[in-house]
Amino acid sequence: QVQLVESGGGVVQPGGSLRLSCAASGFTFSSYGMHWVRQAPGKGLEWVAFIRHDGSNQYYADSVKGRFTISRDTSKNTLYLQMNSLRDEDTAVYYCAKARTGNGNWFDPWGQGTLVTVSS
Amino acid sequence: DIQMTQSPSSVSASVGDRVSITCRASQGISSWLAWYQQKPGKAPKLLIYGASSLQSGVPSRFSGSGSGTDFTLTISSLQPEDFATYYCQQANNFPLTFGPGTKVDIK
């Protein structure tokens, strides 16, 4: 079955960098767009970024544009989120999610999430 | 950006009750709307997409309706496993946006 496993979260100081990974299995990774969605502690869901199945286009939330970069490695079936210039407000659980179909914008399924804490 | 609102923000209900949650978009999104269920400490789960299409494996007591700016998620007979927070999400254009959530808890 489809499985998404995030890793790379942790504690980082403001202004620092972190790279999240999402290992995908159980489906043809190269055929689907992929998303990152985050959730601050006790808060709602915020979409972060999307990359098309072939990596040809990326889209970002305004709150992370210019600081975060989404990428993918088809040879490793892995999605990435490079996060630079981190701020306190980036503290959240970060989920990767597969597009339900093709490059669609429904999220299914989701990984279990990885916690990023930005704190001095 | 398209803003999503939900009402109510929370609802207390009993097992067997019919529960409806509404979602409103700040501009028309046709049927580009999804509903997700999230339980504490867990990742969200897709319930409904395209405003009214039931995701595979989701019980038929869940249904969605609406188009344009106004949408509804209905649980026809609330079960113990349905106590959770529900989010709507618009997929009409980027940036994709979620509603603030509706918590369904036990009366």
Side-chain angles (χ1 to χ4, degrees):
Chain A
Q1 75 280 17
V2 174
Q3 192 170 13
L4 300 169
V5 179
E6 300 96 335
S7 60
V11 180
V12 60
Q13 291 188 337
S17 297
L18 211 56
R19 188 178 82 157
L20 306 183
S21 299
C22 170
S25 61
F27 66 102
T28 304
F29 183 67
S30 60
S31 295
Y32 292 89
M34 296 292 295
H35 298 265
W36 287 99
V37 179
R38 68 184 180 183
Q39 186 169 36
K43 302 298 184 182
L45 301 168
E46 180 187 17
W47 171 79
V48 172
F50 168 73
I51 187 167
R52 288 180 59 88
H53 72 288
D54 57 1
S56 59
N57 290 92
Q58 304 85 36
Y59 300 85
Y60 298 93
D62 287 346
S63 58
V64 306
K65 200 173 295 183
R67 300 187 299 122
F68 289 12
T69 302
I70 188 172
S71 62
R72 62 194 298 159
D73 185 336
T74 299
S75 68
K76 296 181 178 179
N77 282 358
T78 301
L79 175 73
Y80 301 101
L81 186 67
Q82 177 67 43
M83 304 186 296
N84 298 331
S85 303
L86 283 161
R87 305 167 180 168
D88 290 350
E89 55 265 34
D90 295 319
T91 294
V93 173
Y94 284 74
Y95 297 99
C96 65
K98 170 185 162 291
R100 182 184 171 275
T101 57
N103 289 303
N105 294 327
W106 317 122
F107 313 121
D108 180 69
W110 302 53
Q112 86 288 350
T114 188
L115 176 62
V116 173
T117 302
V118 184
S119 174
S120 53
Chain B
D1 298 3
I2 299 174
Q3 310 302 319
M4 307 299 292
T5 57
Q6 288 182 232
S7 61
S9 57
S10 66
V11 57
S12 294
S14 301
V15 172
D17 284 354
R18 181 183 182 90
V19 172
S20 292
I21 299 167
T22 62
C23 175
R24 177 164 289 175
S26 61
Q27 64 189 72
I29 58 170
S30 185
S31 295
W32 292 102
L33 186 101
W35 290 96
Y36 299 86
Q37 176 194 65
Q38 186 178 33
K39 298 181 181 179
K42 299 295 186 182
K45 171 187 172 184
L46 177 65
L47 300 176
I48 302 283
Y49 63 94
S52 60
S53 294
L54 193 67
Q55 172 66 356
S56 176
V58 175
S60 58
R61 62 181 179 273
F62 291 93
S63 64
S65 63
S67 67
T69 60
D70 295 312
F71 303 87
T72 301
L73 173 70
T74 300
I75 310 171
S76 60
S77 177
L78 200 65
Q79 297 303 300
E81 60 269 30
D82 300 336
F83 292 98
T85 299
Y86 294 84
Y87 295 92
C88 62
Q89 175 239 329
Q90 67 82 14
N92 188 68
N93 53 26
F94 292 105
L96 308 177
T97 48
F98 290 89
T102 296
K103 184 176 182 181
V104 177
D105 59 20
I106 302 172
K107 181 184 286 185

